[in-house]
Amino acid sequence: MQAVMKVASYVARAGVWLGGVLILLAAVLIGVDVVLRQVFTTSIGGADELAGYALAIGTAWALAAALLDRAHIRIDSLYLMFPSPFRAACDLLGLALMVGFFALVCWHGLGVMEQSWTSGSRSQSALQIPVVVPQLLWVIGLGTFVAIGAAVFLLALLRLLTGDRASAGRMIGTRSAEEDIEEELQSAETRRMKAGAP
């Protein structure tokens, strides 16, 4: 199972880089389009459409990395007051609901993609992009998240069943302030070492 999680981590990192690059390219494209409109009163055409595709695809591909880093936003005011077993149950239930929700989104996305493929649908802009292409990339990103989320759920459940609540908490629990501080200190130490500081 550890080998599966190592592969999942690698795929998630690649996905977040892909998503980041797409969103950065979309921002550059919109910037160029704005300058062209202001200076030359012309437009690239379809920049907003491409940016929308980039945002949807980039978000879908970044979900798995956010899950593995426990970067999803949670309201944990009451959560920290609960006893440890109840927090573990809430973490597991929350993960199951989130993965289940995105599995439904992915399932319906597959249906929309299939219909786009069958009907040969194209975007209504001047670009006339076959919409099945961005839909395919979006659905693959969602499917990747669902697969990684299911693997994380199973591993966390296994750890909870074997009594390793602390390890399961480090996988699916809310990040504590101490963990955030420790990560920042490690990051600062790594930067210091790379810079060659004493």
Side-chain angles (χ1 to χ4, degrees), residues 101-123:
F101 171 77
F102 279 106
L104 283 173
V105 172
C106 186
W107 174 258
H108 288 290
L110 280 169
V112 170
M113 189 183 71
E114 182 184 1
Q115 185 162 355
S116 297
W117 173 262
T118 305
S119 61
S121 299
R122 292 182 171 269
S123 63

Side-chain angles (χ1 to χ4, degrees), residues 9 31 45 60 101 105 125 137 144 176 181 196:
S9 179
F101 171 77
V105 172
S125 71
L137 294 172
T144 301
S176 66
I181 291 169

Side-chain angles (χ1 to χ4, degrees), residues 5 27 38 58 80 120 133 143 146 158 168 179 193:
M5 291 310 298
Q38 291 296 319
L80 296 174
V133 174
V146 170
L158 182 65
E179 285 177 295
M193 297 290 278

Side-chain angles (χ1 to χ4, degrees), residues 9 14 17 36 46 52 68 75 79 85 88 92 115 130 137 148 156 162 173:
S9 179
W17 275 98
L36 287 175
L68 293 178
I75 300 170
Y79 172 89
L92 210 55
Q115 185 162 355
L137 294 172
I148 289 174
T162 58

Side-chain angles (χ1 to χ4, degrees), residues 29-45:
L29 182 64
I30 289 173
V32 169
D33 193 46
V34 168
V35 170
L36 287 175
R37 287 179 192 214
Q38 291 296 319
V39 177
F40 301 106
T41 62
T42 186
S43 174
I44 295 173

